[in-house]
Amino acid sequence: MSQVDILPPTTPIDFHASTPFSNPPGRRDTPGWCYSCWQGLDDSALVHPKSDPSLVDEQDDEKIFASLPPLLRGHPEIHLRNGIMDASRKAVEREVNAEKAFFVADLGEVYRQHQRWLKCLPDIEPHYAIKCNPDPYVLRLLASLGAGFDCASNGEISQVLNIGGIDPSRILYANPCKATSFIRNAAKMGVDKMTFDNADELYKIARAHPGAKLIVRILADDSKSICRFGVKFGAALEVVPGLLMKARELHLDVIGVSFHVGSGCYDPSIYEDAIKRAREAFDMGSQAGYTFSLLDVGGGFEDARFEAAASVLKCAINQYFPDRSGIRLIAEPGRYYVSRAFSLATNIIARRSKMAENSLEAAASSGSGSDAPSVMYYINDGVYGAFNCILFDHQVVEPYVLSMNRSFHLSGSEPMSLSSVWGPTCDSMDCVCKAVMLPRGLQVGDWLGFDDMGAYTICAASQFNGFELSDVLYTTSKGGEEAREALRRFAGEGHGHGASS
């Protein structure tokens, strides 16, 4: 068995110097900043705000909502770097958890996704699936833009309504199997639209919320999605007539049909079959004596395939619903809005290497030509935290170097080696990347970044083993002034100032 050594730590953020520096390049308005906090960082790699106005606006950061952090300005990369330099300062001051992992969220990206939706699917009203990421800034921004909300529990409904300025009619209670007390409370809060896919649900609703506006959720083909829902939800078409007759018997109002092709749909052509099934369900409604007025096309929208999905949907809707007078179209996008908007910075807190001898050179040579990772890196967030998306959402994450050897610049000629990346807990299941190529010279104290970390990450993170949840810094990148204006207007109307959810 190969000898396993713990490499001597070289922590670039933890050392001292006496030379003061009031305000290093790339950092604004930082009183008390000292040279020792960023000593050795390659300032040629830092972007001065005034040198590129597309990255940082020359205005102060804003405190729009009293209960939320300030909204910064500038490209996320700037704030990833600034966050690393903040960690340097905290390490010098001997703060506990100085190197804590953190997110940077670009609300400008959320705004751009909303405009993209309006352009591609102007006739379909988005109802954001907040289970994907119930971030308080994201909810307020989408509320200010007029979006609706897909809620799956009493807690999510309360979270949305507590923001203020959101009428209950903008909420869809899109959980086909609900607790009776939740149904009763939805009625009390004025939330009427809710889904069902079984007879028992109808009996509960008849008792707890007889005035509900019901939507029958039909089973769709979800074989082309990362996360399939059909095993748990959706009424097969052959049982829909019986459900509708039961609803009539219970004097319940069924107003439409919904489906969901699964989360993370990688073949948008599947929407055509789902729309065809919805047409059949509409006809069944007519036969049962209902006049349906709502079609919910669900979620599954992927950023990279959105235009293709929108094209399939529009063609299918035109084919199967040529006369849409009196029919309202809605959808339940989640990851589409937030996936790309969030990036995560993590610190390498430990490292192990299989070594034939006690030298890095021996470790590198012994690992060459082998399929087994030669270095194990341990970072301060893992699958029990933000990377739960690996377990629950079947995601594959790709690390990249944010800072290495006191520099934000990584040479293209840097030697690489096959590595594995692990989370901070004491559970061996806490593996972020089993095998990934990373620079051979990475050390303890260097930082790794992960993009596309906005969907199904923060929402399911835990504090297992006593590790804290990663904080979020908020910014708006180029073109994000419209997002800020929408938030200012929303706040100016008196909304969004309550306690952060």
Side-chain angles (χ1 to χ4, degrees):
M1 182 178 295
S2 300
Q3 180 181 359
V4 177
D5 271 352
I6 296 181
L7 301 179
T10 304
T11 309
I13 65 169
D14 189 12
F15 53 122
H16 303 275
S18 57
T19 307
F21 194 92
S22 60
N23 200 17
R27 186 75 188 184
R28 298 172 293 143
D29 306 324
T30 314
W33 191 279
C34 64
Y35 179 77
S36 61
C37 303
W38 65 287
Q39 176 181 349
L41 288 175
D42 181 6
D43 54 320
S44 67
L46 295 174
V47 180
H48 195 284
K50 295 183 180 180
S51 70
D52 189 349
S54 71
L55 295 181
V56 178
D57 296 330
E58 293 186 55
Q59 301 179 44
D60 293 334
D61 303 329
E62 283 189 272
K63 184 75 171 176
I64 299 177
F65 301 102
S67 61
L68 299 183
L71 182 55
L72 310 175
R73 281 182 168 83
H75 194 278
E77 183 178 349
I78 290 294
H79 297 292
L80 289 168
R81 293 175 176 179
N82 287 347
I84 291 171
M85 291 191 288
D86 277 342
S88 304
R89 172 184 56 78
K90 292 175 182 177
V92 169
E93 296 171 356
R94 292 293 191 268
E95 287 192 24
V96 177
N97 208 7
E99 62 283 276
K100 184 179 179 181
F102 61 93
F103 287 93
V104 174
D106 181 6
L107 297 182
E109 174 66 20
V110 178
Y111 178 85
R112 290 189 292 273
Q113 289 294 84
H114 185 67
Q115 298 307 307
R116 184 181 173 195
W117 181 282
L118 296 180
K119 177 182 178 181
C120 295
L121 292 173
D123 297 327
I124 302 180
E125 304 170 30
H127 283 58
Y128 175 62
I130 72 171
K131 65 180 180 181
C132 174
N133 185 339
D135 180 89
Y137 254 121
V138 170
L139 296 185
R140 284 160 174 77
L141 176 57
L142 291 176
S144 72
L145 297 175
F149 296 93
D150 159 13
C151 297
S153 68
N154 181 63
E156 288 186 350
I157 293 173
S158 297
Q159 186 175 2
V160 170
L161 293 180
N162 287 343
I163 292 173
I166 302 173
D167 193 271
S169 64
R170 291 167 63 182
I171 293 177
L172 170 66
Y173 196 172
N175 188 337
C177 300
K178 304 168 283 295
T180 302
S181 62
F182 284 13
I183 297 171
R184 185 177 298 111
N185 203 53
K188 185 183 302 183
M189 292 187 288
V191 175
D192 296 331
K193 293 195 301 294
M194 56 185 63
T195 60
F196 74 97
D197 66 1
N198 63 87
D200 283 5
E201 198 72 9
L202 293 174
Y203 284 111
K204 288 189 295 182
I205 295 169
R207 293 195 305 270
H209 192 357
K213 305 297 183 182
L214 302 185
I215 303 156
V216 59
R217 176 159 167 175
I218 62 172
L219 183 65
D221 182 359
D222 59 3
S223 62
K224 307 297 185 181
S225 295
I226 296 173
C227 298
R228 302 175 65 176
F229 295 150
V231 68
K232 186 175 183 182
F233 297 119
L237 285 178
E238 56 265 27
V239 306
V240 169
L243 289 176
L244 295 177
M245 292 305 295
K246 178 57 66 176
R248 292 283 294 180
E249 179 186 319
L250 295 172
H251 306 290
L252 295 172
D253 187 12
V254 183
I255 64 169
V257 176
S258 74
F259 61 79
H260 203 302
V261 298
S263 185
C265 178
Y266 54 82
D267 183 358
S269 66
I270 207 70
Y271 284 103
E272 193 273 339
D273 177 72
I275 294 294
K276 180 181 178 181
R277 298 187 190 200
R279 174 71 267 176
E280 294 182 51
F282 261 69
D283 294 339
M284 293 172 183
S286 296
Q287 294 167 8
Y290 289 108
T291 301
F292 289 166
S293 59
L294 185 141
L295 173 59
D296 176 5
V297 301
F301 301 96
E302 285 279 292
D303 173 77
R305 303 175 182 88
F306 178 64
E307 278 73 15
S311 178
V312 172
L313 267 175
K314 286 189 291 187
C315 289
I317 291 172
N318 286 334
Q319 178 181 353
Y320 294 106
F321 292 86
D323 179 9
R324 294 189 295 280
S325 58
I327 298 179
R328 180 185 178 194
L329 302 175
I330 68 172
E332 306 167 17
R335 70 175 74 242
Y336 163 81
Y337 272 105
V338 293
S339 179
R340 285 176 43 187
F342 285 67
S343 298
L344 178 65
T346 64
N347 186 260
I348 298 176
I349 59 173
R351 160 180 175 164
R352 298 200 312 165
S353 177
K354 295 182 178 179
M355 305 176 68
E357 298 177 7
N358 289 327
S359 68
L360 284 173
E361 291 75 17
S365 62
S366 67
S368 61
S370 170
D371 291 335
S374 59
V375 185
M376 302 169 66
Y377 296 106
Y378 298 76
I379 60 176
N380 52 354
D381 205 336
V383 301
Y384 288 96
F387 293 101
N388 68 83
C389 60
I390 296 172
L391 300 180
F392 300 146
D393 199 37
H394 312 287
Q395 294 299 304
V396 177
V397 297
E398 299 180 2
Y400 61 93
V401 176
L402 282 172
S403 76
M404 175 180 168
N405 192 26
R406 308 181 177 104
S407 175
F408 290 136
H409 175 71
L410 180 65
S411 170
S413 61
E414 187 70 36
M416 309 289 281
S417 64
L418 191 64
S419 311
S420 58
V421 181
W422 300 78
T425 69
C426 289
D427 192 334
S428 61
M429 191 175 70
D430 194 1
C431 182
V432 175
C433 300
K434 291 183 178 179
V436 63
M437 296 300 295
L438 288 171
R440 189 179 301 163
L442 282 171
Q443 298 288 334
V444 170
D446 291 338
W447 290 78
L448 296 179
F450 298 82
D451 289 336
D452 303 330
M453 289 292 291
Y456 299 100
T457 53
I458 300 172
C459 58
S462 75
Q463 299 187 59
F464 173 66
N465 248 181
F467 289 97
E468 297 179 9
L469 303 182
S470 297
D471 294 330
V472 184
L473 302 175
Y474 298 94
T475 188
T476 54
S477 60
K478 184 178 181 180
E481 190 58 32
E482 295 89 345
R484 306 179 80 93
E485 182 56 37
L487 288 168
R488 292 189 201 108
R489 183 174 61 252
F490 191 67
E493 294 169 352
H495 310 313
H497 296 287
S500 173
S501 300

